[in-house]
Amino acid sequence: MTRFYNFMLYLFSGLCGLLLVGSAFTLVGFLLWQGASIMGLKLIFGTLDMSEIIDVIFWQRIVIDGLWPAMVGTFFLVFMALSTALPLGLGAGIYLAEYAGGRTKTFFSIVFDLLAGVPSIVIGLFGFSLTLYLHRYFPGLRPCLLISGLALALLILPYLVRTTQTALEELPDSLRLTAAALGAEKSAVIISVLLPQALPGIFSGIVLAIGRAAEDTAVIMLTGVVASAGIPRSLFDNYEALPFYIYYTASQFSDQYELQQGFGAALVLLVICILLFTGAGLIRKKATLRLLYQHRHP
Amino acid sequence: MTAACVFVTLGILVFMLVLGLPLLTPDSLHLIFASEWAPDRGLFGVLPFIYGTLAIVSLSLLFAVPLSLGNAVLIHLLLPPAAAGLLHRLIKMMTGIPTVIYGFVGIFLLVPFIREWFGSGSGMSILSAGLLLALLISPTMILIFVESFAAVPAGHIRALTALGGSLRQRLFYLLLPGARNGIMTGIILGIGRALGDTMIALMVAGNATARPESILDPVRTLTAQIALVMAADFDSIEFKTIFVCGILLYMWAAVLTLTLRFLNHGSVKSGFRGVLS
């Protein structure tokens, strides 16, 4: 009987494993099968030749039928979201790990948990209603790159807070005590002892946040992304982005080549995101190794 | 700085309430929770979208929970360490796949398949969205399940093995009861993720406003409704109802988050770290 039960257990779990791994490989395989043939400079820059591509990179020429504007848009988005959320996230994370205690800490933790749980479309809706509200005071304001960047910052903020907090809290107390015993003030301990030690953990959080900002579609859909805008000329301009390009192509493609471009874009985004996630994992692993090493040779 | 963050979080809810509140009078509540959405006939009920959301989320859980448990058992209990490590790493990588890519592949691979297989409708259905969502939420759930299996004291496992316990007994009498909180945490995080997802539902669920009669019927979720109505006139009731959808989603997410905290006795980390690492 035991043998029968064990067999059933192996059978069920094995089938689950095959199903999951099979689906993952089918997904990636299908994208590769459909999109690999279009990979190349033509996908990104359209029909331009080499010297024209250099012009494009130096902002001298626009790309008509390539992914370049969408890639630049996504880059701007990530950059804006990160430059807004990073100081806030680091500050809040340090405060929660090193200063806050008791009720204050619990309260702020609950708030960040709530923020982390808010669906991204609701954050997008918030960004949109913020635009509506500001529109009364700044009549020219429409949904734009600035609003999207701020909304995305809100989306990745809890990740940054939490990874900073965790990275600091995982450091051994002996570090804090030794530094304090040597006469360092608390701010000096944090800046020159704790933060450098926590840097790998914080950095892997940043990488994850970049991935989250790059892949999100729901937020930007409500806050100013459009199908064809070219490179945005200012913060108050509409823009294109890779994930929206993929969504838009899926429903609006008019010929086989556009569909193929959609597959190409999906493949590009997939590679970027997987690389970011793997990178974050590697950084974390390296950080752990370093900590282990320090424990062995105090 | 922290105060700013808190301000912003509460700000979201306040904004939703301010913009949605004019609708929350008894008269219009009656209108909004009516059972039909037909703006041309003056009917603005969001109930069909609540049904749609619940249908898709529960179907995806129905697939994802056994699938995730099976995989977690495989990693923790059955596979040799090298293979388990490989599967674990693959599953971690899966958490990095963007949702819009699930939607994209869903449209061009799963939807035609379901259309051919069942031979009716467009293939855009509760079933398609449920299957894809299951694939989206499983990796996170598996990682948390595995983590909570690993937290079951090794001494208990050794004692059970010494008494001649079988794999099945180890699973059902030690691991599953011991990891109950972790399993609940994983499932709740999965529900939250499935509830809040926009792209998969928007792309493969078909967005029909009628109430579905089978899992092969298309539906529209609350999230998709928000995404779809954006283009409408800003002063219309139609437009204002999306704030009701927003408030509903916000409140459901908040309830799930608070339940999570309650489960983990205020230790913030366990749930969150499982997702991040």
Side-chain angles (χ1 to χ4, degrees):
Chain A
M1 209 53 196
T2 299
R3 193 174 286 170
F4 171 73
Y5 279 131
N6 281 354
F7 173 74
M8 289 308 286
L9 196 58
Y10 271 99
L11 185 69
F12 173 75
S13 302
L15 282 178
C16 286
L18 279 181
L19 197 61
L20 189 80
V21 175
S23 316
F25 277 105
T26 312
L27 191 127
V28 176
F30 182 68
L31 277 184
L32 278 174
W33 177 50
Q34 298 282 327
S37 61
I38 197 178
M39 276 298 156
L41 283 177
K42 189 165 177 267
L43 173 70
I44 297 171
F45 296 105
T47 47
L48 304 178
D49 65 29
M50 215 49 208
S51 65
E52 288 169 321
I53 288 175
I54 290 167
D55 284 351
V56 166
I57 292 171
F58 287 103
W59 257 243
Q60 302 294 315
R61 182 188 281 275
I62 55 166
V63 173
I64 309 292
D65 54 347
L67 292 181
W68 179 250
M71 290 170 82
V72 173
T74 291
F75 175 77
F76 280 158
L77 277 178
V78 170
F79 179 76
M80 284 200 49
L82 202 63
S83 51
T84 319
L86 194 56
L88 282 173
L90 282 183
I94 293 172
Y95 175 77
L96 282 178
E98 300 298 326
Y99 291 100
R103 286 222 181 125
T104 340
K105 189 167 178 172
T106 317
F107 173 73
F108 285 125
S109 300
I110 291 181
V111 172
F112 285 121
D113 277 5
L114 284 178
L115 184 59
V118 176
S120 60
I121 190 103
V122 176
I123 293 195
L125 190 56
F126 170 71
F128 182 78
S129 37
L130 189 69
T131 324
L132 278 186
Y133 180 75
L134 291 175
H135 188 82
R136 290 188 218 154
Y137 305 101
F138 308 99
L141 191 69
R142 296 170 299 126
C144 60
L145 186 58
L146 178 71
I147 299 284
S148 296
L150 293 180
L152 278 178
L154 208 55
L155 185 78
I156 62 175
L157 189 62
Y159 285 74
L160 294 171
V161 176
R162 202 59 84 202
T163 41
T164 308
Q165 187 192 349
T166 314
L168 284 171
E169 279 174 351
E170 275 175 350
L171 295 177
D173 267 336
S174 57
L175 272 177
R176 290 181 188 85
L177 293 175
T178 313
L182 289 170
E185 280 180 16
K186 187 154 191 182
S187 56
V189 177
I190 293 173
I191 293 172
S192 34
V193 180
L194 298 180
L195 275 184
Q197 292 290 321
L199 216 50
I202 295 174
F203 198 71
S204 79
I206 295 175
V207 176
L208 278 174
I210 292 177
R212 194 77 188 77
E215 68 117 18
D216 194 88
T217 325
V219 171
I220 59 175
M221 255 167 79
L222 301 193
T223 53
V225 75
V226 288
S228 57
I231 308 271
R233 283 168 303 260
S234 79
L235 283 178
F236 303 101
D237 216 355
N238 287 119
Y239 59 94
E240 297 176 35
L242 268 186
F244 185 76
Y245 182 92
I246 297 167
Y247 163 69
Y248 189 79
T249 308
S251 54
Q252 308 287 335
F253 69 95
S254 56
D255 56 34
Q256 206 53 37
Y257 183 69
E258 274 184 32
L259 180 60
Q260 264 204 321
Q261 276 186 316
F263 276 106
L267 209 50
V268 170
L269 187 65
L270 183 69
V271 170
I272 293 175
C273 287
I274 296 270
L275 282 181
L276 283 174
F277 267 74
T278 321
L282 286 179
I283 294 167
R284 185 176 289 260
K285 197 177 256 175
K286 212 176 154 193
T288 327
L289 281 178
R290 226 168 91 182
L291 280 175
L292 281 176
Y293 180 79
Q294 277 160 353
H295 279 298
R296 234 171 273 155
H297 306 273
Chain B
M1 210 174 267
T2 325
C5 302
V6 174
F7 175 74
V8 162
T9 314
L10 299 178
I12 297 185
L13 184 63
V14 172
F15 250 102
M16 291 290 145
L17 285 177
V18 166
L19 286 155
L21 214 53
L23 285 177
L24 296 178
T25 58
D27 262 3
S28 46
L29 265 188
H30 178 70
L31 194 68
I32 283 164
F33 289 97
S35 55
E36 214 177 332
W37 174 266
D40 47 327
R41 284 188 285 131
L43 292 171
F44 299 98
V46 294
L47 219 51
F49 314 137
I50 298 180
Y51 284 131
T53 303
L54 292 181
I56 288 182
V57 170
S58 32
L59 189 69
S60 73
L61 277 181
L62 206 64
F63 294 127
V65 173
L67 182 71
S68 304
L69 275 177
N71 274 287
V73 169
L74 205 58
I75 290 176
H76 183 78
L77 202 60
L78 303 182
L79 284 180
L86 201 65
L87 184 59
H88 199 243
R89 221 169 305 151
L90 181 80
I91 288 169
K92 258 188 192 169
M93 220 176 262
M94 280 183 74
T95 59
I97 300 178
T99 45
V100 69
I101 287 182
Y102 282 110
F104 193 81
V105 173
I107 287 187
F108 295 109
L109 193 64
L110 184 66
V111 167
F113 179 77
I114 286 191
R115 184 171 51 218
E116 299 293 315
W117 188 265
F118 292 97
S120 72
S122 66
M124 299 209 176
S125 56
I126 300 178
L127 182 63
S128 314
L131 283 170
L132 280 173
L133 268 183
L135 204 55
L136 175 78
I137 63 178
S138 289
T140 315
M141 284 167 63
I142 296 169
L143 292 179
I144 293 175
F145 290 173
V146 169
E147 202 177 280
S148 51
F149 282 163
V152 174
H156 294 186
I157 295 173
R158 264 183 243 122
L160 184 100
T161 318
L163 290 170
S166 69
L167 278 178
R168 175 186 69 96
Q169 287 164 333
R170 190 156 131 200
L171 178 64
F172 285 101
Y173 300 133
L174 264 185
L175 291 178
L176 288 182
R180 205 180 54 205
N181 265 9
I183 291 172
M184 285 306 292
T185 301
I187 293 176
I188 290 176
L189 277 174
I191 297 177
R193 189 90 200 273
L195 206 63
D197 178 78
T198 311
M199 298 321 289
I200 289 179
L202 184 63
M203 289 170 92
V204 304
N207 295 322
T209 56
R211 195 185 300 185
E213 271 154 19
S214 81
I215 57 167
L216 291 174
D217 283 343
V219 289
R220 189 186 287 190
T221 59
L222 289 168
T223 49
Q225 166 73 358
I226 296 179
L228 288 167
V229 173
M230 285 309 289
D233 178 19
F234 295 163
D235 280 328
S236 61
I237 308 182
E238 202 176 345
F239 176 72
K240 283 178 178 155
T241 54
I242 65 175
F243 290 97
V244 177
C245 300
I247 293 174
L248 280 175
L249 284 167
Y250 191 108
M251 289 194 315
W252 289 356
V255 167
L256 290 175
T257 308
L258 293 177
T259 317
L260 268 188
R261 281 194 73 90
F262 179 71
L263 266 181
N264 294 304
H265 301 292
S267 76
V268 201
K269 289 178 194 162
S270 49
F272 215 84
R273 254 156 85 201
V275 187
L276 289 178
S277 54

